[in-house]
Amino acid sequence: MRAVPPLLCCLLLLLVLCTPLAAQRDLAELRSRAEAGDAAAQFNLGRLHVTGSGVPQDDREAARWYRLAAEQGHAAAQHGLGLRYDAGLGVEESDVEAVRWYRAAADQGHWEAQFRLGRMYARGTGVDRDETQAVAWYERAAGQGHAEAQFSLGQMHFNGRGVPLDRREAARWVELAARQGNPLAQVTLASMFENGVGVDQDPALAARWYRLAANQGAPSAQVTLGYLYDAGLGVEEDDVEAVRWIRLAAEQQDPEAQFALGNMYFNGRGVTRDMAEALRWMHLAAEQGWIRAQFNLGLSYDGGIGVPPDPAEAAHWFSRAAAQGDPAAQQSLGVMYANGSGVEQDLVAAHTWLSLAASGASGDTRTSALEGIQVIEARLSPSEREEADARREAFRQIPER
């Protein structure tokens, strides 16, 4: 190993010792200029207090310096002060004040302020909701190349909010944002190519855009790319590759991916069939409120598929899915109440759940629910029937996510 010359060592040591001193002098000069009323210095000093770089991190001090600069017309400081009011950092949270300062910066052409002001109009936050104004501000930011504004403008065109509905114009703006690497825009554009909405249907282009978003770690893109490999749509069918992408999303706690990975293990597609792994992933998805995972767990415990039969556990999972409005789970839960399996027998509850299932289901599920209702109605008193009807009318779906 070559020895470092003594002179070079001395120079490096001197540089290390002098750097903090130089930084202190720079900070002192910056503070002096800020206290003298220099707007740029005030903004930069405020920014240092935001990050705690060379000064104590202090949201109040940051807001104070931003305000001094903003009141002199410094656009970046006006935007920064708007952010402070938006989030309640160093100042009392105020959407109205956030809008005021965003507008001041936006009027000077600050693209991020223009985007945020457009979003405030779109949401009706701090101002009366005005989608025409939202579009106007999105257009100003998008015209400067702001990716989020481009994507938001695409959404407005897609849904006909503030502008006439125009899916091709939506696709144009979404693609501009996607080409800048915005992952949400990439996923949206991929979906448009997948389904032929606003663009000609093109599975290969759909897969390309999903892959770009998936490589950025977007779970929805990863799981959808997995589906494409599973089905051979836009890519060559490859179950192993499907599992790889789905697993990446599942490991990010995406419940749809966890459910899909559980199914891959259940069916032995792309992996060795493993019921324990299938149920582990299904449980993770079900605990996050994924309805299909909850229903499948109910079926597994009800029929002893991969686990010992456990009617109480089956009823638990059917109940969670039923409460979210799943007709198949409501039908299964109704049957369990009718038979007293896993729950105490309750014909009123059975009638309620079967009625809900019949009103929301189709095909065999609806037929089975209607048959169960006929059997139970013969065993209910008029008052019990009224109670069941009242419960059905009072039912409200309770999404877990």
Side-chain angles (χ1 to χ4, degrees):
M1 183 176 179
R2 182 182 294 178
V4 179
L7 179 59
L8 180 57
C9 286
C10 292
L11 289 172
L12 290 173
L13 179 59
L14 183 62
L15 179 64
V16 169
L17 292 173
C18 290
T19 298
L21 295 175
Q24 290 175 18
R25 285 197 300 270
D26 290 345
L27 179 59
E29 181 183 349
L30 179 67
R31 186 178 297 279
S32 175
R33 286 167 47 213
E35 289 172 346
D38 185 301
Q42 291 168 340
F43 167 67
N44 287 323
L45 187 55
R47 194 162 53 174
L48 292 179
H49 278 291
V50 170
T51 60
S53 301
V55 295
Q57 198 285 326
D58 189 328
D59 288 325
R60 289 186 178 279
E61 272 296 281
R64 184 173 77 84
W65 286 111
Y66 277 164
R67 185 184 305 281
L68 289 170
E71 288 172 345
Q72 294 191 68
H74 192 286
Q78 291 168 338
H79 168 253
L81 188 56
L83 290 175
R84 304 274 105 189
Y85 276 110
D86 209 349
L89 293 172
V91 292
E92 186 176 345
E93 186 176 342
S94 171
D95 293 332
V96 172
E97 280 295 290
V99 166
R100 181 167 82 90
W101 289 110
Y102 285 153
R103 189 187 306 281
D107 283 338
Q108 296 193 66
H110 193 288
W111 69 344
E112 180 68 21
Q114 290 170 341
F115 163 68
R116 289 183 177 275
L117 183 57
R119 192 165 61 180
M120 301 293 264
Y121 271 113
R123 296 175 175 176
T125 306
V127 288
D128 292 336
R129 183 174 177 178
D130 187 330
E131 293 178 343
T132 302
Q133 278 292 305
V135 167
W137 286 109
Y138 283 154
E139 285 178 339
R140 289 177 68 173
Q144 295 192 69
H146 191 287
E148 283 186 88
Q150 291 169 338
F151 176 63
S152 297
L153 189 55
Q155 288 182 304
M156 301 299 273
H157 282 285
F158 188 93
N159 296 302
R161 294 177 54 197
V163 287
L165 189 149
D166 187 335
R167 297 286 164 78
R168 290 205 172 272
E169 186 67 2
R172 185 175 77 83
W173 284 109
V174 170
E175 183 169 354
L176 286 171
R179 289 187 180 281
Q180 292 200 66
N182 184 289
L184 188 54
Q186 291 172 339
V187 171
T188 303
L189 185 61
S191 179
M192 296 177 86
F193 276 115
E194 183 182 5
N195 298 293
V197 178
V199 292
D200 294 335
Q201 190 172 32
D202 190 326
L205 276 177
R208 175 180 178 273
W209 285 109
Y210 278 131
R211 187 185 306 279
L212 287 169
N215 283 332
Q216 293 196 66
S220 63
Q222 292 169 338
V223 69
T224 307
L225 187 58
Y227 294 155
L228 295 184
Y229 274 109
D230 187 39
L233 294 172
V235 291
E236 186 175 344
E237 184 176 342
D238 187 333
D239 291 340
V240 173
E241 193 68 359
V243 168
R244 184 174 80 85
W245 284 108
I246 291 170
R247 188 186 302 278
L248 286 172
E251 289 173 348
Q252 292 192 68
Q253 315 307 316
D254 183 87
E256 181 180 3
Q258 292 170 337
F259 168 72
L261 187 56
N263 274 336
M264 301 295 273
Y265 274 109
F266 184 88
N267 295 307
R269 289 181 61 86
V271 289
T272 303
R273 191 169 192 262
D274 187 331
M275 289 302 297
E277 272 296 280
L279 288 169
R280 182 174 79 85
W281 285 108
M282 208 67 72
H283 265 281
L284 289 171
E287 289 291 0
Q288 290 198 70
W290 196 257
I291 294 174
R292 292 171 64 194
Q294 293 171 338
F295 177 67
N296 281 12
L297 279 181
L299 291 177
S300 294
Y301 284 108
D302 192 32
I305 303 170
V307 290
D310 188 336
E313 192 70 5
H316 166 75
W317 289 112
F318 283 145
S319 179
R320 286 183 63 171
Q324 294 193 75
D326 183 70
Q330 291 170 340
Q331 191 268 337
S332 297
L333 185 60
V335 170
M336 299 193 84
Y337 272 113
N339 297 327
S341 175
V343 290
E344 187 176 343
Q345 188 178 47
D346 184 338
L347 296 182
V348 172
H351 190 283
T352 300
W353 287 114
L354 289 172
S355 296
L356 287 167
S359 65
S362 59
D364 292 343
T365 299
R366 185 171 189 275
T367 299
S368 178
L370 290 171
E371 290 173 351
I373 290 170
Q374 288 181 341
V375 172
I376 292 170
E377 280 184 345
R379 301 169 61 185
L380 292 179
S381 68
S383 62
E384 288 174 326
R385 172 66 186 275
E386 287 180 9
E387 182 183 350
D389 288 343
R391 289 187 192 179
R392 183 191 68 235
E393 293 300 319
F395 174 77
R396 295 289 181 273
Q397 293 181 20
I398 308 172
E400 294 189 23
R401 298 186 75 244

